[in-house]
Amino acid sequence: MAGYVSDAVIRRLPAYFRYLWTLESKGVKQISSKDLGESMGLTPSQIRQDINSFGGFGRQGYGYEVTELKNHLQKVLGVNQEHRMVIIGAGRIGQALAAYEGFPMVGFRPIAMFDVAAGRDEPGNLPLYPMQELEERLPDLDVSIAILAIPPAPAQEVMDRLYRLGIRAFWNFATVDLKCPGDAVVVNEHLSDSLGVLSYRMQQLGI
Amino acid sequence: MAGYVSDAVIRRLPAYFRYLWTLESKGVKQISSKDLGESMGLTPSQIRQDINSFGGFGRQGYGYEVTELKNHLQKVLGVNQEHRMVIIGAGRIGQALAAYEGFPMVGFRPIAMFDVAAGRDEPGNLPLYPMQELEERLPDLDVSIAILAIPPAPAQEVMDRLYRLGIRAFWNFATVDLKCPGDAVVVNEHLSDSLGVLSYRMQQLGI
């Protein structure tokens, strides 16, 4: 379907998908690489290069079919199916993720939470189980992704424990980079990186 | 100090900084572009190119001085100074950000929250003011960054209101891309983009 896709392009794919999804919901049928570039902060030639690299194509002087490209990207990203997720850690980050409204669009659904602290408030919308019951309950939950919303110290150990239970995909908010075996994937989330980008741009503008 | 730095490199800068900061705190004095590349998931030649582009330099057969490069990056990123932040929206995302522990390292400090709902729980560690008092209180708070942890519908209006009060930097969690005048900067945060990246990698591995 596509050749080598660089890491930088992979990181932009969800933004393309999100933007095309919005265009489609507004009834837009086609878009030029120029307009797409302006919205994405990229040059038209970068846009064409990106889209070629994941096997999408446009037509000279016409641009891209919004729905066609969106559907193609949906397959490339694997977001054309439901992904059931478990949230480990029912603290503030965990609870915020449990209630986050950006997920349904991309088919990701948190279905349960686990926490070491028994006295946690019920997050309201999801069942909350004690961490001791992880081994017993996880198989029945049929999840493919674990979100780690826990402190850095126990993070690697908890990840290994989930790996032994068959989880192969991790979204890690523990502010420490975790490593996983080659048959698993982890996306390490560092929210403060965005503040670095913001700060860089502030400095460029002399703010 | 540096020539043109591409958007992709800018997004990697905070990760470089974070990684060098960790190395320094472990007492590591120097690192080769090969080792740096392995930790960052980039080739040695990409590393050299990235670092050249922001004006850092290494020595053939020796690599990079960790502290020197970290300090240089700190200036490039503008994270060698304190940034005072206000959080708009004391819901779950806002409260999670108020308590987030990844900030102090990079000098960003949330100092107050505002919310339309008067009956919100006090987030504990920060003063919480009603939105009606924004105009009255903001000047005294001396903040340079506003974090928008509010629903998408009022987001642009709230941003414009903060802009009129002199705020020129925005970190936006409202799951809608906001635009700002040319003398201001906005980083639109879309947490679900990370799930897109995770999903892409899961598909590549057949998970």
Side-chain angles (χ1 to χ4, degrees):
Chain A
M1 186 152 61
Y4 170 75
V5 185
S6 78
D7 210 60
V9 177
I10 293 166
R11 277 166 211 225
R12 285 199 287 271
L13 293 183
Y16 278 111
F17 176 71
R18 212 173 359 92
Y19 187 64
L20 290 163
W21 189 87
T22 309
L23 285 176
E24 188 187 43
S25 67
K26 285 180 184 160
V28 178
K29 300 288 181 212
Q30 66 232 34
I31 187 162
S32 67
S33 46
K34 186 169 162 288
D35 290 346
L36 197 49
E38 273 167 21
S39 309
M40 303 269 304
L42 297 166
T43 67
S45 104
Q46 276 179 304
I47 294 282
R48 285 190 292 267
Q49 225 177 315
D50 278 9
I51 291 179
N52 280 337
S53 78
F54 59 79
F57 57 92
R59 264 173 288 159
Q60 191 78 36
Y62 178 88
Y64 299 96
E65 282 273 14
V66 170
T67 299
E68 185 185 288
L69 190 56
K70 188 217 77 180
N71 289 344
H72 178 67
L73 254 173
Q74 198 163 30
K75 274 180 226 150
V76 171
L77 281 169
V79 293
N80 52 342
Q81 49 188 323
E82 194 188 65
H83 294 273
R84 292 164 65 92
M85 309 192 290
V86 64
I87 299 176
I88 311 294
R92 284 170 172 169
I93 294 265
Q95 291 194 31
L97 293 169
Y100 189 67
E101 287 176 9
F103 294 143
M105 183 184 101
V106 285
F108 297 88
R109 199 152 72 85
I111 58 141
M113 304 178 87
F114 286 84
D115 198 285
V116 282
R120 288 272 189 213
D121 295 342
E122 274 282 339
N125 50 347
L126 291 185
L128 170 63
Y129 303 115
M131 234 2 222
Q132 307 95 281
E133 297 177 11
L134 185 71
E135 278 71 14
E136 176 196 333
R137 292 192 182 270
L138 202 67
D140 292 336
L141 294 174
D142 188 28
V143 298
S144 57
I145 296 171
I147 299 179
L148 304 177
I150 53 180
Q156 188 69 54
E157 196 190 312
V158 167
M159 187 201 223
D160 295 346
R161 193 169 155 194
L162 288 156
Y163 180 86
R164 284 194 299 272
L165 290 166
I167 302 292
R168 292 293 179 269
F170 301 90
W171 190 18
N172 169 34
F173 283 82
T175 70
V176 61
D177 285 334
L178 299 181
K179 310 249 165 182
C180 64
D183 65 343
V185 285
V186 57
V187 169
N188 294 299
E189 192 77 45
H190 291 276
L191 289 176
S192 63
D193 283 4
S194 292
L195 281 176
V197 172
L198 188 63
S199 167
Y200 177 86
R201 292 190 178 140
M202 287 167 78
Q203 182 148 289
Q204 296 297 107
L205 282 185
I207 297 172
Chain B
M1 184 152 60
Y4 170 74
V5 185
S6 79
D7 210 59
V9 177
I10 292 165
R11 278 166 211 224
R12 284 199 287 271
L13 293 183
Y16 278 110
F17 177 71
R18 212 172 1 90
Y19 187 63
L20 290 162
W21 190 86
T22 309
L23 286 176
E24 187 188 44
S25 67
K26 285 181 184 160
V28 178
K29 301 288 181 210
Q30 67 231 35
I31 188 162
S32 66
S33 46
K34 187 169 161 288
D35 290 346
L36 197 50
E38 271 168 22
S39 308
M40 303 268 305
L42 297 166
T43 67
S45 104
Q46 276 179 304
I47 294 282
R48 285 189 293 267
Q49 223 178 320
D50 279 10
I51 292 179
N52 280 338
S53 78
F54 59 79
F57 58 92
R59 264 173 288 160
Q60 192 78 38
Y62 178 86
Y64 299 96
E65 283 273 15
V66 170
T67 299
E68 185 187 289
L69 190 56
K70 189 218 78 181
N71 290 344
H72 178 68
L73 254 173
Q74 198 163 28
K75 275 181 224 148
V76 171
L77 281 169
V79 293
N80 53 342
Q81 51 188 326
E82 195 188 65
H83 294 273
R84 292 164 64 91
M85 309 192 290
V86 65
I87 300 176
I88 311 294
R92 285 171 172 169
I93 294 265
Q95 291 194 31
L97 292 169
Y100 188 65
E101 287 176 10
F103 294 143
M105 183 184 101
V106 286
F108 297 87
R109 200 152 71 86
I111 58 141
M113 304 179 87
F114 285 85
D115 199 285
V116 282
R120 287 273 189 213
D121 294 340
E122 274 281 341
N125 50 349
L126 291 183
L128 170 62
Y129 303 116
M131 238 355 229
Q132 307 96 281
E133 297 176 12
L134 186 70
E135 278 71 14
E136 176 196 335
R137 291 190 180 271
L138 202 67
D140 293 335
L141 294 174
D142 188 28
V143 299
S144 57
I145 296 171
I147 300 178
L148 304 177
I150 53 179
Q156 188 70 54
E157 195 190 311
V158 168
M159 186 201 222
D160 295 345
R161 194 169 154 194
L162 288 155
Y163 181 86
R164 283 194 300 272
L165 290 166
I167 301 292
R168 292 294 179 268
F170 301 90
W171 190 18
N172 169 35
F173 283 81
T175 69
V176 61
D177 286 333
L178 299 181
K179 309 250 165 182
C180 64
D183 65 343
V185 285
V186 58
V187 169
N188 294 300
E189 193 75 44
H190 290 276
L191 289 175
S192 63
D193 283 4
S194 293
L195 281 176
V197 172
L198 188 64
S199 166
Y200 177 86
R201 292 190 177 141
M202 287 168 78
Q203 184 148 288
Q204 297 296 106
L205 283 185
I207 296 171

